[in-house]
């Protein structure tokens, strides 16, 4: 009888685990206004409308994607949309040896895009743990960009034999968007027209709850963990999960007696 009970119990546990994953992963990362992060770069075509739905003109100035669990949504816009950060390059750490440039290059970026959560990779931090560099945040800079000098990233080609280190250890600082290069270009602020407020949100300078974008995922009941197939996190399955836990606890006692 016990032999029959074990596989049943195991599959039940697996079901419970699968149900539980999106619940745990739905906790967005809360981060301080200053800290350390990793910086990568990605190709964003000029005039492309990225996840937040910020105007095409925003791509004419420095922009970045932010790792999903800090961005605050798995789809479309999140609370980070429109926020501006001063990013300062500190060092590389994958290169051998690590590279510490003589000067500290800084850039003020506006977050306009989402860097999707992945199991590995630099945008994989969750409330359960950081990325491989020990950081909760990864900024993915749109680079090359017409607004950023092509030699923005320091290098030492004669020593390393390449110029692109791929990933940097940086410090970040939340700053007012009045420090952003696109601030005086009204066409670079805000979100695109013709989409409706339910699908786009790009705050010009988010400073408090009344001018900060909400989470598209939270509004639409989309589970943030894109690595599972359970995409409908309405309150019902959540309650169901909790009730499963309480009904399974007696079984636990039985199993380990
Ligand atoms: C960004 O950070 C650098 C390095 O700390 C600093 O020199 C610069 O003034 C900062 N820029 C803004 C706009 O805060
Ligand atoms: C992210 O991926 C790295 C390996 O690249 C791993 O060491 C780390 O534990 C992962 N973090 C999370 C939260 O899964
Ligand atoms: C990033 O820089 C900080 C400050 O210098 C340092 O404490 C940390 O170890 C660095 N992390 C990596 C992965 O290089
Ligand atoms: C490149 O690295 C080597 C070895 O650390 C150093 O001697 C040289 O001065 C560096 N050159 C530049 C331009 O940083
Ligand atoms: C939010 O910030 C804006 C701009 O700084 C300000 O005008 C507004 O009064 C603030 N709202 C609240 C509720 O604090």
């Amino acid at each position: 009888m016990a032999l029959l009970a074990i596989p049943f119990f195991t599959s039940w546990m697996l079901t419970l685990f699968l149900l539980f994953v999106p619940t745990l992963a739905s906790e967005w990362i809360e981060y301080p206004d200053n800290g350390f992060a990793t910086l990568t770069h990605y190709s964003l075509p000029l005039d492309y409308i990225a996840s937040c739905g910020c105007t095409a003109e925003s791509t004419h100035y420095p922009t970045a994607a932010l790792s999903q669990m800090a961005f605050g949504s798995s789809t479309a816009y999140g609370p980070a949309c429109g926020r501006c950060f001063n990013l300062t390059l500190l060092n590389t750490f994958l290169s051998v040896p690590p590279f510490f440039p003589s000067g500290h290059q800084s850039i003020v970026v506006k977050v306009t895009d989402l860097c999707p959560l992945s199991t590995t990779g630099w945008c994989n931090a969750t409330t359960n743990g950081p990325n491989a560099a020990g950081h909760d945040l990864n900024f993915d800079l749109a680079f090359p960009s017409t607004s950023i000098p092509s030699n923005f990233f320091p290098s030492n080609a004669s020593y390393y034999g390449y110029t692109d280190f791929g990933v940097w250890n940086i410090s970040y600082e939340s700053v007012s968007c009045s420090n952003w290069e696109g601030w005086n270009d009204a066409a670079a602020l805000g979100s695109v027209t013709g989409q409706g407020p339910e699908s786009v949100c790009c705050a010009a300078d988010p400073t408090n709850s009344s001018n900060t974008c909400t989470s598209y995922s939270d509004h639409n009941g989309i589970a943030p963990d894109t690595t599972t197939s359970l995409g409908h996190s309405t309150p019902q399955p959540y309650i169901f999960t909790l009730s499963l836990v309480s009904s399974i606890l007696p079984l636990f006692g039985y199993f380990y007696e």
Side-chain angles (χ1 to χ4, degrees), residues 21-195:
V21 166
T23 309
L24 292 173
S26 70
E27 295 164 18
W28 307 115
I29 291 175
E30 291 191 14
Y31 50 94
D33 281 348
N34 302 283
F36 297 109
T38 45
L39 178 71
T40 49
H41 61 82
Y42 78 120
S43 298
L44 183 70
L46 192 67
D47 294 327
Y48 191 87
I49 312 295
S51 292
C52 301
C54 300
T55 62
E57 192 76 5
S58 67
T59 64
H60 295 230
Y61 304 99
T63 65
L66 183 59
S67 44
Q68 180 171 313
M69 299 313 285
F71 181 84
S73 179
S74 64
T75 320
Y77 58 81
C81 287
R83 285 193 73 175
C84 294
F85 294 91
N86 184 15
L87 311 179
T88 302
L89 303 181
L90 297 178
N91 62 277
T92 68
F93 53 92
L94 294 182
S95 62
V96 182
F99 178 50
F100 290 82
S102 49
H104 281 169
Q105 197 70 252
S106 290
I107 190 165
V108 174
V109 298
K110 191 176 185 67
V111 173
T112 63
D113 206 359
L114 157 72
C115 181
L117 177 67
S118 53
T119 1
T120 58
W122 302 103
C123 292
N124 76 339
T126 67
T127 49
N128 295 325
N131 68 16
H135 296 319
D136 280 346
L137 276 66
N138 181 73
F139 291 90
D140 205 6
L141 181 69
F143 180 88
S145 161
T146 55
S147 63
I148 307 172
S150 57
N151 65 353
F152 169 71
F153 287 100
S155 63
N156 184 343
S158 60
Y159 184 74
Y160 289 97
Y162 55 86
T163 53
D164 189 354
F165 290 96
V167 52
W168 282 78
N169 184 36
I170 64 164
S171 62
Y172 73 88
E173 179 191 11
S174 176
V175 296
S176 160
C177 286
S178 60
N179 294 290
W180 184 53
E181 205 189 307
W183 182 247
N184 293 317
D185 181 353
L189 301 172
S191 50
V192 291
T193 53
Q195 288 291 317

